[in-house]
Amino acid sequence: MGTETIHALRDVSLDIQRGEYVAIMGPSGSGKSTLMNLLGCLDTPTSGLYELNGANVSDMDDNQLAEIRNREIGFVFQTFNLLPRSNALRNVELPLIYSGMDAGQRKQVALDALTSVGLGDRIHHKPNELSGGQRQRVAIARALVNTPSIILADEPTGNLDSKTGEEIMALLEVLSEKGNTVFVVTHEEDIAKHARRIIRIRDGLIASDETKSKGKGV
Amino acid sequence: MNFFVELKEGLAIAWDAIRANKLRSVLTTLGIVIGIVTVTLMATAIDGMNRAFRKSISVIGADMLYVNRTAWLTHTEVEWLKSQKRREITLEQANAVAKEMTLARAVAPVVGMNQSVIYKTRSSSSVQIMGSTDQFLNTSGFSLGEGRFMTAAEADGGRPVCIIGLDVATNLFINESPLGKKIKVGPRSMEVIGVLAKQGSFMGMQSLDNEVIIPIQQLLIGYWRNPDFQIQVKVAQLDQLDEAREELRGVMRKIRRVAPGDEDDFAINQQEQFITMFNRVAGTIAGVGLLITGLSLFVGGIGIMNIMFVSVAERTREIGVRKAIGAKRRTILLQFLIEAATICLLGGLVGLVIAWLFTFLLARALPVHLSLSVVGLALLVALITGVASGFFPAWRAARMDPVDALRNE
């Protein structure tokens, strides 16, 4: 704990279009977590500008950020981060509760999201009654349910075996093809190669930014 | 998200959290339960005390003035000794008051003494014998159960008649009507012409049913030649109580020839003196009692605060997830406030049930019941305790940085 200010990211300039499927890669300490926090509106930059859908996120206060996250961002975490005491349906309903949707509509929308990830028959299961892959699907359904601008997946396969990991990546790919903007933060090449654009971060700087031509990804 | 929805969601979350940590919730709630039980019982006891007092004090009507040689509530021994040296209040003075008072509805001279009462083989010792006039029925507020009260003519001399209290009647007469029977009051024989209805007791001490009322002349002739009288004055209108007291004072000073500038050699007593004294004592008891019992509630509140800090720390990650998903500060704050308030309200409800059971024990000593206002107050206090003790932990949760909270393992 020093008093010296560390800039986790410097001179990062990115322009991401709607519908892109982007992998952010980098070793630990590279600043990719910071980038993810900024993109996910969990944090604001000390200097610089972040515009999301034309709105300047950089100047927003806590409550505005919460609203933006609720509307625009769907998070998928490495450790799933489901609420342990709530069943799958209620976990997926959570963003809708915070956005103020009424109960009847909420249930239907959440049910649709769970069905779309193939868990329509598991809605009353609690997280500890589901497998790792199923939990991550619930998390993806939760990320999707508010039809956000961005789905932000932080090491989504990190706690899964490789076969299940592939299934999850395939699911994200389907979402991407349906027109969702998807970010995957990872340090595994195998995972990153699913994306059409790979941004590599090293020491807080963008080391490379390559886009594959369409149709080439897996 | 509107407030009502937040409240509903908050309650659902709180209920989940409480159920997930049953033992902990029970132990935490115990502090509040004990706090609410003690506070509620104390409030109920004070309420009962007030009730008992008001019931007793109604024997002394609010519209009554009592002239005595001494004040009822003398404050020092010196004052009391001085008042003992005053001249007696006589029947003539009482009669003069009756004649001169314009603001009085009824004036009755009263003298009390103790005698034993005998009927055939049965006897009652130490019965309160009251010598008075026909006006006594008006000033005392007593009501007649059966028979009749004495007439003015009977009061002024005439026949040896008496009106007996209900206890005296039930003690002396078994399976026969007392009316028309002759009883021996001390050495003299009196005919029972009336029986009083049940009067209860004064301040829970002196029974008002163990009494025999006899004409004042009978008392003067047969028992006590120069007694010290009390003059009972019932004022015509309650809102003229103060004027009536001043008039009474003037009349008494004139009758007893008190020189101008000298202080009164009599005292005018009234209900208000008792009420003032009682309120002072009761206020002190209530203040001290509620303060002490409030302390136990305070300790309970500290327990809640402690456990809420633990709860917030344990659920740091959950808070992070909720924030990432779009929960605002207010939402998180409310969630934990509701959790604390729910624990306290549950504790309050359990406490009330226990207190309610205890009131049955308390009811043996005081006329108590758990009043609706005390119930409402107890629940309000429980709610306030919950919100107050939950606020700081909830505030900490609400202000958490989502990035840090999510990183928490």
Side-chain angles (χ1 to χ4, degrees):
Chain A
M1 289 280 199
T3 49
E4 197 184 344
T5 311
I6 308 286
H7 293 282
L9 288 173
R10 281 167 295 157
D11 298 330
V12 171
S13 183
L14 277 174
D15 193 5
I16 290 147
Q17 301 298 315
R18 186 177 290 276
E20 276 195 88
Y21 189 177
V22 185
I24 298 168
M25 290 205 67
S28 56
S30 61
K32 69 177 192 302
S33 290
T34 308
L35 181 59
M36 191 206 75
N37 290 340
L38 289 176
L39 289 172
C41 303
L42 288 167
D43 215 344
T44 49
T46 33
S47 66
L49 187 70
Y50 174 28
E51 260 186 30
L52 177 62
N53 272 347
N56 182 8
V57 177
S58 328
D59 298 337
M60 288 186 175
D61 66 24
D62 266 24
N63 282 336
Q64 289 169 313
L65 285 175
E67 230 167 274
I68 283 276
R69 287 196 295 269
N70 183 249
R71 261 202 330 267
E72 308 280 11
I73 317 284
F75 287 96
V76 178
F77 301 97
Q78 178 176 358
T79 50
F80 322 131
N81 279 343
L82 299 174
L83 301 186
R85 288 190 294 272
S86 305
N87 64 26
L89 187 66
R90 210 172 142 72
N91 264 291
V92 176
E93 273 184 290
L94 202 57
L96 302 174
I97 292 173
Y98 291 141
S99 69
M101 189 182 281
D102 68 74
Q105 197 187 355
R106 193 165 81 202
K107 195 169 175 190
Q108 191 54 51
V109 173
L111 199 61
D112 289 347
L114 276 166
T115 310
S116 76
V117 297
L119 285 177
D121 56 343
R122 293 279 193 278
I123 60 169
H124 295 304
H125 288 58
K126 294 203 170 157
N128 61 5
E129 297 158 352
L130 297 168
S131 71
Q134 286 170 331
R135 286 184 216 181
Q136 198 58 304
R137 282 165 195 268
V138 175
I140 290 171
R142 182 178 65 185
L144 277 177
V145 76
N146 251 3
T147 55
S149 302
I150 299 172
I151 292 170
L152 200 57
D154 182 13
E155 304 277 9
T157 61
N159 274 19
L160 301 172
D161 61 67
S162 54
K163 184 171 166 288
T164 317
E166 282 298 325
E167 282 169 23
I168 292 299
M169 291 317 292
L171 181 57
L172 287 175
E173 203 156 331
V174 171
L175 295 179
S176 161
E177 273 156 19
K178 282 182 181 165
N180 292 293
T181 312
V182 179
F183 282 88
V184 176
V185 179
T186 184
H187 61 276
E188 291 178 67
E189 289 289 344
D190 288 352
I191 298 301
K193 73 171 195 279
H194 287 266
R196 277 185 294 279
R197 179 174 174 188
I198 300 179
I199 298 166
R200 290 172 204 277
I201 311 276
R202 191 172 292 272
D203 299 331
L205 296 162
I206 294 179
S208 72
D209 182 351
E210 13 177 310
T211 309
K212 289 182 265 182
S213 58
K214 265 212 164 176
K216 250 185 145 182
V218 182
Chain B
M1 188 154 65
N2 67 40
F3 184 75
F4 180 72
V5 177
E6 281 191 11
L7 205 65
K8 205 176 125 217
E9 290 305 323
L11 276 173
I13 294 165
W15 187 239
D16 274 351
I18 290 166
R19 279 199 321 178
N21 296 298
K22 283 195 196 71
L23 183 63
R24 187 164 90 189
S25 303
V26 167
L27 289 177
T28 313
T29 312
L30 208 58
I32 297 297
V33 170
I34 293 168
I36 289 294
V37 167
T38 52
V39 170
T40 307
L41 282 181
M42 181 52 79
T44 305
I46 290 164
D47 189 46
M49 204 169 71
N50 282 326
R51 225 182 273 266
F53 174 76
R54 273 197 302 273
K55 201 173 141 202
S56 281
I57 200 71
S58 66
V59 168
I60 308 172
D63 57 353
M64 286 299 300
L65 298 169
Y66 300 83
V67 184
N68 288 76
R69 208 158 51 148
T70 52
W72 283 342
L73 304 165
T74 43
H75 301 289
T76 64
E77 202 177 344
V78 177
E79 265 178 76
W80 189 80
L81 284 172
K82 199 164 81 183
S83 67
Q84 287 300 300
K85 290 185 194 134
R86 290 170 176 171
R87 289 169 290 156
E88 285 89 4
I89 294 173
T90 63
L91 183 60
E92 287 70 38
Q93 289 170 7
N95 289 337
V97 167
K99 215 165 78 185
E100 298 205 14
M101 282 289 288
T102 58
L103 296 172
R105 173 166 295 160
V107 176
V110 181
V111 179
M113 61 180 181
N114 275 330
Q115 292 286 343
S116 57
V117 180
I118 303 166
Y119 174 69
K120 289 182 182 165
T121 58
R122 301 181 65 81
S123 69
S124 234
S125 59
S126 176
V127 175
Q128 173 89 351
I129 312 297
M130 309 284 276
S132 191
T133 66
D134 57 310
Q135 293 299 310
F136 185 64
L137 195 61
N138 294 326
T139 58
S140 66
F142 288 174
S143 51
L144 218 52
E146 53 182 319
R148 63 177 182 85
F149 205 70
M150 69 178 93
T151 62
E154 283 166 339
D156 285 344
R159 300 166 52 206
V161 294
C162 68
I163 297 95
I164 60 176
L166 193 63
D167 285 357
V168 177
T170 48
N171 283 343
L172 297 187
F173 297 93
I174 293 164
N175 295 330
E176 60 180 319
S177 169
L179 296 180
K181 304 288 180 335
K182 288 210 187 275
I183 59 172
K184 283 199 86 164
V185 179
R188 294 169 70 89
S189 197
M190 304 261 173
E191 183 192 337
V192 179
I193 56 168
V195 179
L196 296 173
K198 188 166 175 57
Q199 308 296 330
S201 64
F202 180 61
M203 302 280 171
M205 301 174 293
Q206 186 189 344
S207 169
L208 299 170
D209 294 311
N210 195 28
E211 286 196 347
V212 173
I213 301 161
I214 62 173
I216 185 62
Q217 286 300 338
Q218 290 288 332
L219 184 134
L220 292 178
I221 295 162
Y223 304 89
W224 197 354
R225 199 168 298 270
N226 287 308
D228 178 35
F229 278 85
Q230 178 188 62
I231 307 173
Q232 300 189 346
V233 179
K234 188 185 181 72
V235 303
Q237 256 147 5
L238 187 55
D239 55 8
Q240 286 183 327
L241 187 67
D242 291 340
E243 290 93 325
R245 189 178 55 232
E246 279 315 300
E247 188 191 21
L248 180 58
R249 185 163 166 255
V251 169
M252 283 301 292
R253 284 179 72 92
K254 201 180 90 186
I255 294 168
R256 286 166 73 87
R257 299 201 177 79
V258 179
D262 285 4
E263 63 180 60
D264 295 346
D265 67 346
F266 55 90
I268 298 173
N269 295 300
Q270 62 191 97
Q271 188 195 51
E272 206 180 283
Q273 287 163 275
F274 275 110
I275 293 176
T276 309
M277 180 197 69
F278 175 80
N279 284 348
R280 204 164 50 227
V281 175
T284 312
I285 293 173
V288 172
L290 287 176
L291 186 80
I292 292 170
T293 51
L295 273 178
S296 73
L297 196 62
F298 180 74
V299 173
I302 299 277
I304 296 285
M305 188 184 281
N306 199 5
I307 216 68
M308 286 311 293
F309 270 125
V310 173
S311 184
V312 167
E314 274 178 356
R315 283 145 75 189
T316 301
R317 207 177 174 116
E318 176 191 323
I319 294 161
V321 174
R322 287 181 186 277
K323 287 199 144 196
I325 282 170
K328 294 179 185 169
R329 281 186 178 184
R330 190 188 66 172
T331 312
I332 301 289
L333 183 80
L334 209 61
Q335 177 190 329
F336 283 98
L337 276 187
I338 289 171
E339 189 171 323
T342 306
I343 292 176
C344 284
L345 269 181
L346 286 177
L349 283 173
V350 174
L352 275 176
V353 170
I354 295 173
W356 179 68
L357 295 174
F358 268 112
T359 50
F360 289 112
L361 282 180
L362 204 61
R364 287 157 185 243
L366 283 170
V368 291
H369 66 265
L370 201 54
S371 68
L372 212 60
S373 61
V374 170
V375 170
L377 203 70
L379 289 179
L380 187 71
V381 166
L383 187 70
I384 290 171
T385 308
V387 171
S389 52
F391 189 81
F392 196 32
W395 180 244
R396 180 180 278 187
R399 285 181 53 98
M400 272 182 191
D401 178 49
V403 176
D404 291 340
L406 278 170
R407 208 180 283 144
N408 185 281
E409 287 304 322

